[in-house]
Amino acid sequence: MITPKVEVRVTADGSSTLYVPELDEHYHSTHGAVQEAQHVYLGAGLEPVLAGATSPVRLLEIGFGTGLNALLTLQRSLASPYPIRYDTIEKYPLPAPIIEELGVERYVLNPELLEYHQLLHSATWDTLVKLTPRFALHKMAGALQETSLPADTYHVVYFDAFAPEKQPDMWTDDVFAQLYAATAPGGVLVSYCAKGSFRRSLKAAGWLVEKIPGPPGKREMTRARKAG
Ligand SMILES: C[S@@+](CC[C@H](N)C(=O)[O-])C[C@H]1O[C@@H](n2cnc3c(N)ncnc32)[C@H](O)[C@@H]1O
């Protein structure tokens, strides 16, 4: 699979993202990539799950991309009461020179975290790798729609696809039914997107859907829960 052409851009909080000219789309919010990841994925998704966890947490990310969500989640896992197993699916793994060009050392100042950033990217694809005693990573190369997922497993799903107008095949009723089947009872799915068509597809698949405040620059985001 050929990775589309991307260009490095710096967002309003000083962290980097990638711009895809072919789609006229960014990998993260231009208001702040780290800020968005912390608010949407860790704040609204992971934290409530960790607060109620009684066993190791299973997490699924759609779109590994630059590895930013994974890095911040690994950082959080260092002080987490339970280990996190992070499964992530990526159709277009990024080449190493692009990862270097992001220049994360400009805003990830902790040398230990910078080392983890390297480890996340050098980890072998399609293999479960234990990066720390509290964080295991399984990067799956391929399209979500063609990936078979275990049933009733994930406590948190980070749904970080390109916007519905840019990549409609990622936002179908079938995709949200596939993710519902893979989510553990009581598990949550979070996304920066708050579009009505997205919420309707989630509901059609059985999710209980709520609109909650979004990160700076975005009024709302979505959190959905599988009854449990
Ligand atoms: C909005 S970006 C995600 C950003 C990523 N979470 C990060 O922190 O950099 C969307 C990602 O989904 C990936 N993608 C596109 N189509 C996909 C598919 N069918 N299955 C899985 N991933 C896909 C893209 O290559 C891109 O990395």
Side-chain angles (χ1 to χ4, degrees):
M1 265 168 274
I2 300 173
T3 304
K5 193 176 160 328
V6 291
E7 296 167 9
V8 174
R9 297 281 163 88
V10 176
T11 70
D13 67 4
S15 57
S16 306
T17 190
L18 295 174
Y19 174 68
V20 190
E22 198 183 308
L23 294 177
D24 185 23
E25 174 77 330
H26 292 86
Y27 273 52
H28 307 95
S29 164
T30 54
H31 295 277
V34 165
Q35 190 172 252
E36 176 188 50
Q38 288 286 9
H39 180 103
V40 174
Y41 299 106
L42 281 88
L46 180 61
E47 290 300 344
V49 167
L50 280 180
T54 53
S55 60
V57 171
R58 291 287 303 261
L59 191 156
L60 174 68
E61 177 185 43
I62 309 306
F64 177 69
T66 64
L68 177 62
N69 291 336
L71 181 65
L72 296 173
T73 303
L74 187 157
Q75 179 182 28
R76 177 65 184 88
S77 74
L78 300 173
S80 137
Y82 290 101
I84 297 174
R85 171 171 160 173
Y86 197 101
D87 292 357
T88 180
I89 306 177
E90 176 55 63
K91 186 170 176 185
Y92 304 108
L94 291 165
I98 294 285
I99 300 299
E100 261 174 55
E101 218 186 299
L102 284 168
V104 292
E105 62 287 349
R106 278 187 307 101
Y107 52 94
V108 175
L109 303 177
N110 177 337
E112 193 191 8
L113 262 195
L114 275 179
E115 237 172 76
Y116 287 134
H117 176 74
Q118 294 294 343
L119 289 177
L120 287 170
H121 286 285
S122 57
T124 309
W125 287 86
D126 300 310
T127 306
L128 180 63
V129 187
K130 199 168 178 182
L131 296 185
T132 78
R134 290 187 172 269
F135 190 89
L137 177 70
H138 185 201
K139 296 191 294 189
M140 296 177 262
L144 163 66
Q145 299 91 328
E146 287 152 27
T147 303
S148 112
L149 296 169
D152 296 328
T153 297
Y154 296 103
H155 303 106
V156 195
V157 179
Y158 293 171
F159 192 77
D160 199 8
F162 291 129
E165 323 64 272
K166 309 291 178 169
Q167 213 190 352
D169 63 312
M170 292 296 283
W171 302 81
T172 63
D173 291 3
D174 284 354
V175 161
F176 298 115
Q178 178 192 10
L179 294 175
Y180 188 84
T183 300
V188 297
L189 175 150
V190 276
S191 174
Y192 65 87
C193 180
K195 263 194 108 173
S197 55
F198 169 41
R199 292 201 307 275
R200 286 191 288 281
S201 289
L202 286 166
K203 284 180 188 160
W207 294 93
L208 308 169
V209 183
E210 59 178 329
K211 258 194 287 187
I212 57 176
K218 193 131 203 322
R219 205 157 51 85
E220 292 169 332
M221 59 162 281
T222 301
R223 177 166 55 205
R225 185 175 299 279
K226 178 168 174 171

